[in-house]
Amino acid sequence: MNLKLNGKVTVVTGGSKGIGLAVANAFAAEGAFVAIIARDPQGLEQARAQLQASGHNVATYAANLSDAEAASRVIAQIEQDIGPIDILINSAGAARRHVPETLDAAKWRAAMDAKFFPYVHVQDAVLTSMRARAESRPKGATNGIVINIIGTGGKIPNPTHLAGGSANAALMLSTVGLAAHYARYGIRINAISPGATATQRVEQGLSVEAERQGISLEEAYAQGQARIPLGRFGKPEEVADVALFLASPRSSYVVGAVIPVDGGTAAVI
């Protein structure tokens, strides 16, 4: 199926590992010009090598997206190097999990800095550019796509993920609100809400859950999978497939959606 993404300038934040890397690979395979942003230069080089081994050339940019000025600079640099951004997929940042008794003001604030603000800072910079583009194009044209990847912790409270879940909930609200506003400019904003997906983030979360319950990591892993109706954790590639759909003209009338990719978890809680 031709998703008509060939040549589209696509930015993936958090694109050096996990879901972000799977998204970068999927869009590159569709012929998009992909730029990935991450904080760690070494991780970016590893991601570049992995993608090149799959036959994909991508641009890489190191930036701390919790800094609004750094986010604005890196977006400006990408547009200077490659061209106007057609598609933004936000997947950067992960708030650490904590046993509730250890939460304090610093940890609540750190969760917002780790998850909420990296999305908002990049999104603000990209939307400014997309909005300006809309002024010179015919009414009805698609002037940009934004896809925010936001974990189900934003709607399903987890005792070890309350701070990060609160950041996710804020992202869900802001995504839907901005989508309603920017649709008039031909900019479609949507979100994907993955459940437990087989990445390093899930491993860290299971370690904290094992500590909270006083059980082994293997037991926590088995419990985690047992709570999912499909009986297994998701794959990063399954999230990437939904991102491809939302970025393509096949979803041209989808605006402000928060699509669960969680094996049915949200439906039974």
Side-chain angles (χ1 to χ4, degrees):
M1 181 184 297
N2 180 6
L3 293 175
K4 299 183 180 180
L5 298 175
N6 188 58
K8 298 293 185 182
V9 176
T10 302
V11 173
V12 183
T13 71
S16 65
K17 59 185 177 180
I19 291 173
L21 181 57
V23 168
N25 184 70
F27 277 77
E30 289 291 326
F33 291 120
V34 176
I36 59 178
I37 306 173
R39 183 180 300 193
D40 177 23
Q42 183 177 354
L44 281 169
E45 286 306 308
Q46 292 172 348
R48 187 209 298 269
Q50 184 174 334
L51 290 166
Q52 284 180 335
S54 298
H56 308 312
N57 291 317
V58 301
T60 58
Y61 296 83
N64 178 4
L65 300 178
S66 63
D67 181 331
E69 292 185 2
S72 182
R73 283 195 303 269
V74 74
I75 292 303
Q77 188 64 55
I78 291 171
E79 295 207 316
Q80 179 179 318
D81 293 347
I82 305 174
I85 295 167
D86 298 299
I87 302 164
L88 168 66
I89 301 104
N90 268 319
S91 188
R96 293 194 64 82
R97 293 174 182 256
H98 304 281
V99 175
E101 287 82 358
T102 69
L103 283 172
D104 56 24
K107 289 176 181 174
W108 286 99
R109 184 177 297 277
M112 297 299 286
D113 286 337
K115 187 66 179 182
F116 180 75
F117 286 111
Y119 279 46
V120 169
H121 292 157
V122 175
Q123 186 174 254
D124 284 351
V126 171
L127 286 173
T128 297
S129 177
M130 290 178 174
R131 170 70 176 82
R133 191 184 316 163
E135 296 290 342
S136 61
R137 291 187 174 179
K139 187 175 182 180
T142 297
N143 297 307
I145 303 290
V146 176
I147 301 167
N148 291 324
I149 297 177
I150 310 167
T152 55
K155 54 187 175 183
I156 303 173
N158 181 314
T160 66
H161 192 44
L162 294 176
S166 297
N168 284 338
L171 282 173
M172 288 180 182
L173 179 65
S174 63
T175 295
V176 174
L178 289 171
H181 175 75
Y182 279 97
R184 71 195 70 182
Y185 303 115
I187 301 168
R188 291 196 298 108
I189 305 174
N190 290 290
I192 301 171
S193 183
T197 307
T199 65
Q200 292 178 345
R201 295 179 188 179
V202 164
E203 292 175 8
Q204 192 262 339
L206 290 172
S207 295
V208 176
E209 185 61 29
E211 176 189 349
R212 186 179 78 89
Q213 294 190 47
I215 60 177
S216 70
L217 182 59
E218 290 73 19
E219 289 174 302
Y221 193 96
Q223 285 184 7
Q225 294 207 109
R227 287 191 291 269
I228 302 169
L230 278 182
R232 64 171 177 84
F233 292 134
K235 302 173 185 176
E237 294 77 14
E238 291 172 318
V239 180
D241 285 341
V242 179
L244 288 173
F245 166 70
L246 287 175
S248 78
R250 296 276 175 169
S251 65
S252 58
Y253 207 58
V254 180
V255 174
V258 181
I259 299 178
V261 182
D262 60 10
T265 303
V268 297
I269 293 179

